[in-house]
Amino acid sequence: LTKDELTFLHAVQAGVPDSTELIVKASPFGETFSVNLVATGCKHPKLSLLTFKPDNYANFKAMDFHELGTEDLMKWNHDFSLVLAVLPSADNAFFPVGGYKLALNRPYLMLSCADYQKDMQNIGADVIPNTQPYQAGEQEVAYDITSKVLGDKRGAFLASEPFVDALPTERCLGFYELVYTLLEGPIKQAQASTGLSAPLLEQAPQANYELQIRGIRKKSPVIVLRMPSASEILPAGWSSLPKVDPLPKTA
């Protein structure tokens, strides 16, 4: 579909794992068990979302995109931009962190399409599009953090350039670090405040959130931070940011 070999990217519909994926073939547990345990998208229901992950990267211990080397990130960005070019209605990207990754500890993101059915049908007649909408949990909160992200040098490019246009360039490389270290400071402070006198018994605060780019084809997209209400940890002053719906209407 892209007229190019996608060597560094693997994509599936959410909840529709691929038994030919490299991570499944390399698993020692057998195909049937592995495809439901480690395959990309296997922990999600059949949502109307695409799941993307990088392939063939050097740091096999990488859990998130910012832990990939610069060369591997550029290769991933190149392949991802090719795919976005043939998904004309792709509109929102979701970067899960912590509990939102559903124990799939590898770099990956989710993508929604305004006309999901049409985009899936364009991929091939044998593709059966998922129909289940992406829904937020009952106890979740979300903040519009656009001003904070665009005010950071690693996200400033989004003020004048759509994410999809910057993707094949070096301008968005720092954005991955921003996504995954966004709450690093507040979490470390919360961990320190617990004292951790019995670290095996105390439950230290964890990073559980999803960063969303709402409008990947627009300049100055809306950037949203979604998280469970129970584990709400924010940098000082962020609690006054506008609250928004946990998910965009087109997801």
Side-chain angles (χ1 to χ4, degrees), residues 4 7 15 20 46 80 95 98 103 121 126 144 150-151 156 176-178 182-183 187 194 203-204 233 235 244 249-250:
D4 202 343
T7 309
T20 68
K46 291 186 176 183
F80 190 37
F95 296 83
Q121 289 166 358
D126 58 335
D144 182 340
L150 270 59
Y176 294 108
E177 181 187 32
L178 177 60
L182 198 61
L183 301 185
I187 288 167
T194 68
Q203 186 174 0
I233 300 175
V244 295
K249 298 186 185 302
T250 56

Side-chain angles (χ1 to χ4, degrees), residues 13 72 81 94 96 134 163-164 200 212 243 245:
Q13 293 189 85
D72 285 333
S81 66
F94 307 87
Y134 193 20
F163 179 75
V164 294
L200 296 179
Q212 305 170 1
K243 285 189 175 182
D245 290 338

Side-chain angles (χ1 to χ4, degrees), residues 138-156:
E138 292 183 4
Q139 302 298 321
E140 290 187 321
V141 63
Y143 293 89
D144 182 340
I145 62 168
T146 306
S147 61
K148 302 298 182 182
V149 172
L150 270 59
D152 187 291
K153 64 180 182 180
R154 296 167 292 182

Side-chain angles (χ1 to χ4, degrees), residues 93-113:
F94 307 87
F95 296 83
V97 178
Y100 281 97
K101 295 185 75 171
L102 302 183
L104 290 171
N105 291 323
R106 71 202 62 161
Y108 78 91
L109 61 81
M110 312 287 283
L111 184 77
S112 68
C113 299

Side-chain angles (χ1 to χ4, degrees), residues 44-73:
H44 296 88
K46 291 186 176 183
L47 303 170
S48 295
L49 293 173
L50 288 168
T51 305
F52 291 88
K53 66 173 284 288
D55 260 347
N56 301 312
Y57 46 89
N59 181 13
F60 66 91
K61 294 183 179 180
M63 299 294 181
D64 294 306
F65 282 101
H66 73 297
E67 295 172 328
L68 301 179
T70 299
E71 183 178 352
D72 285 333
L73 270 179

